[in-house]
Amino acid sequence: MKINVVGKKVTLRNNFKEMAERKLQKFDRIFDEDAEATVTATVDKNSQTVEITIRQRGMIYRSEDTADEMNVALDNAISAMGRQIRRNKTRLEKARKVSPGVDFAESFYYDEPDEELDVVRTKRFAVEVMTPEEAILQMNMMGHSFFLFRDDASGEINVVYRRKSGDYGLLIPVEE
């Protein structure tokens, strides 16, 4: 796995980069050599955030944590990534087409009960044509954290969503 460690609003020390690479190496046995991992460390006024993104053949795994110290945020983000991989272990094996002989050691993961992924509700609605700004207003009026709409400029289905930081994001699908 290729690992890239980046600092935003901070110059990272070599020992942090080495530690991030060393901790991410435990994922090498799960991901292929062509997988790309990016560790982004950001320093704000009183907090430090570490975001980990691993991309492999169209699959994206992402975890993020904010703490007072960058090393603590890194440890928490690595733990969250391990839990996410464990929850999706079967899907990951199918995506990699791993032979049954490959063992995902339980000691690699944190104890967390397997959860069922059942759709408990299906909702159908008409997708309205509007601008992203109108979609954000509609989302806020309904009290939702995301809203699906058809963009008036492109005619494509898009999604606006509220981010953890309180600002908004726009999802635009692209074909690969």
Side-chain angles (χ1 to χ4, degrees):
M1 175 168 43
K2 299 171 196 150
I3 301 172
N4 185 21
V5 183
V6 180
K8 286 186 180 178
K9 301 179 187 177
V10 66
T11 302
L12 296 175
R13 294 184 177 153
N14 285 335
N15 63 350
F16 177 80
K17 292 178 182 179
E18 291 168 2
M19 182 173 56
E21 290 174 1
R22 188 177 65 248
K23 290 185 179 211
L24 280 172
Q25 283 178 348
K26 73 178 186 178
F27 297 124
D28 279 345
R29 61 182 164 196
I30 297 172
F31 294 102
D32 294 336
E33 293 174 6
D34 63 338
E36 294 180 11
T38 304
V39 178
T40 305
T42 307
V43 175
D44 289 324
K45 293 178 184 176
N46 296 328
S47 63
Q48 300 181 23
T49 303
V50 173
E51 175 186 331
I52 302 170
T53 305
I54 299 177
R55 298 173 193 269
Q56 175 181 283
R57 280 192 250 130
M59 293 180 62
I60 299 175
Y61 285 85
R62 183 182 176 280
S63 66
E64 177 180 329
D65 191 71
T66 302
D68 292 336
E69 295 183 25
M70 197 171 299
N71 293 345
V72 173
L74 175 65
D75 289 342
N76 293 342
I78 294 279
S79 297
M81 181 69 67
R83 288 190 304 273
Q84 182 180 7
I85 290 170
R86 181 168 190 253
R87 278 194 310 267
N88 294 292
K89 176 181 170 182
T90 306
R91 286 190 203 114
L92 183 61
E93 288 172 339
K94 287 179 184 175
R96 287 189 66 210
K97 295 181 178 46
V98 173
S99 64
V102 174
D103 182 30
F104 286 85
E106 286 303 314
S107 62
F108 173 77
Y109 305 108
Y110 297 89
D111 289 335
E112 188 172 296
D114 291 337
E115 60 185 55
E116 293 292 322
L117 300 176
D118 294 329
V119 176
V120 296
R121 181 177 179 202
T122 300
K123 185 175 181 179
R124 297 179 189 277
F125 63 96
V127 179
E128 300 291 328
V129 177
M130 58 183 70
T131 65
E133 292 79 15
E134 292 170 332
I136 290 171
L137 290 173
Q138 185 70 37
M139 174 184 69
N140 288 337
M141 288 191 300
M142 294 184 345
H144 291 175
S145 57
F146 69 92
F147 188 78
L148 183 78
F149 68 102
R150 185 174 299 277
D151 186 20
D152 69 338
S154 66
E156 294 185 359
I157 301 291
N158 292 341
V159 176
V160 291
Y161 64 97
R162 185 174 298 107
R163 297 171 45 98
K164 288 180 187 177
S165 60
D167 49 0
Y168 301 100
L170 175 65
L171 300 177
I172 302 172
V174 296
E175 294 195 29
E176 292 184 18

